[in-house]
Amino acid sequence: MLISQKMRELSPELDPLRLGTGWRPEELSKPQIFIESTFGDSHPGSGHLDKLVEAAKEGIAEAGGCGARYFCTDICDGESQGTDGINYSLMSREMIANMIEIQQSATPFDAGVYIASCDKGLPGNLMGLMRVNIPAVVVTGGTMAAGPQLLTLEQLGIYSARYERGEIDESELNWAKRNACPSCGACSFIGTASTMQIMAEALGLALPGSALLPATSPDLLEYAKSAGRLAVKLANSQGMRPSDIVTLESFENAILVHAAVSGSTNCLLHLPAMAHELELEITGDTFDQLHRGARYLLDVRPAGRWPAEFFYYAGGVPAIMEEIKGHLHLDAMTVTGKTLGENLEELKAGGFYDRCQEWLEKANKKHHTSITREDVIRPYDRALGTDGSIAILKGNLAPEGAVIKHTACPREMFSATLTARPFDSEEECIDAVLHHRVKPGDAVFIRYEGPKGSGMPEMFYTSEAISSDKELGRSIALITDGRFSGASTGPVVGHCSPEAQVGGPIALVEEGDLIRLDVKERVLEIVGVKGERRTPEEIDAILAKRKKRWKPKPVKYKRGALRLFSELAASPMKGAYLDYGNFDKE
């Protein structure tokens, strides 16, 4: 018996309450499907999801089920960027997962369709569906179109920094603002939103070939309808829960795709947190191991040339997987009930790539371009890079690790010894950068911005101010226990762990310390004091003395969601999820 029908026997109030909600009597005995989405007027990535919800509901009805709509709207990192609002971003992922747990557990359903597009909404849904562990299908909300001159939103940081330096006038800045988001959907670059849509498909939880479709495409509505039909089928199947489908091999597949697309560093927060929900362990070291020697193939912004809408026109996730299939676990199960390898063969036989080519030709006509598939997704033997796209750096400065996206970092900064310039907030740092109080050869630190410090906001504007500066962008590094936008480029190192708020070595850095950064050797360490080299033993002794003098900063948030996060957040290298085991440590 389906769990929804068991619930009806236990709760005599359930039927009349659902009839009062608008259910028809004949629907009460059908498979009941939970439709969760982040629909709301919060940003372009969620503003259109109501249409996908209705398409999924229609598909559910066609397959003999009844869908119930639930909502937990996400926030927009872009809208809160540069304000204290961004401090709530990562915590919102936890709250979305919690609401899914609450909504589904309070009135159990037989299967679910989860619909989201963006940075924390999609990871929150993925964590939530793994936690409640009913059969589930993910529908991703697609990507927005590029604006005129192929303008995309991540370029706004550069326009803003150029305006602050007096290089462009207000009218040029306003032109960029008015044209960067011409439609609904996730921002058109491989930021966190696009990365997580790709991850949903790579994990086997979304329909093959569905990630990062143009958000305005009628094909996306058809995928949502198909997801609804599939959810009903899964409700009546055995062994098709997320815990049955998603394994360590599934995560390894996703990380290899992440390497191939030069995905957002925020993925190092989200995949480990998802794995934790399934009692699996993925860490920064897992990413580093799989990225070593992996092919980087995708020439899409921010690391590449083209807007993200061209990713789908070039064949999307399936085309990436075809290029790296020799390294994938092709026998990994997916939500279709078929293996990854079987799905790829079906797509080829069903004309998927021909349809993508038609889209590409239409886009070239619209934008007056002549982009080919291989301009966007490089063949395996002509990869953009052969060492993945991220590296985990370790040393006495980051014993648990720190992350750099080396595909977006100038080669000049792959190996450098720099002079420390520590700041205890982003506001202090960006002011120094914009007014040229930071000099070539500096290692600029922004600390106390980790999960326990201030919620782990993005250091986007500071990173863009540095990367858009012709001199600083190739001569300094930005190091933080906070994180970066998926749009960030330049010599930036994030997630430095342990974070400053818990007394990590980043809190002990002083002006004039010498900092060694070496991407190839995976090193981030303090090698000198006051401009003079010291032995590792001397550095250890100096840091021990500093630690004795160090005092934690007062808790920034006294109540509410961020107080909870500051108390319970795990290390960034573990995923910064709410670690309830911390209760036991107190």
Side-chain angles (χ1 to χ4, degrees), residues 255-256 259-260 284-296 327 380 385-394 406 518-523:
I255 293 170
L256 286 167
D285 291 339
T286 314
F287 277 83
D288 191 76
Q289 177 188 354
L290 291 169
H291 272 248
R292 288 178 185 262
R295 300 297 172 106
Y296 157 44
H327 302 281
Y380 185 84
T386 57
D387 198 22
S389 57
I390 61 98
I392 301 300
L393 312 178
K394 290 189 176 182
H406 56 75
D518 194 310
V519 174
K520 185 177 180 181
E521 298 298 325
R522 304 299 202 258
V523 170

Side-chain angles (χ1 to χ4, degrees), residues 37-52 73-74 79 116-118 141 183-186 215:
S37 82
T38 57
F39 166 68
D41 292 332
S42 50
H43 56 90
S46 286
H48 66 304
L49 297 184
D50 57 331
K51 299 178 179 64
L52 301 185
T73 303
D74 55 348
E79 291 181 11
S117 299
C118 286
S183 79
C184 58

Side-chain angles (χ1 to χ4, degrees), residues 421-438:
R421 291 289 311 282
F423 297 89
D424 287 352
S425 72
E426 185 183 20
E427 291 79 7
E428 295 173 297
C429 182
I430 193 169
D431 184 71
V433 170
L434 291 173
H435 293 92
H436 303 286
R437 294 195 301 276
V438 170

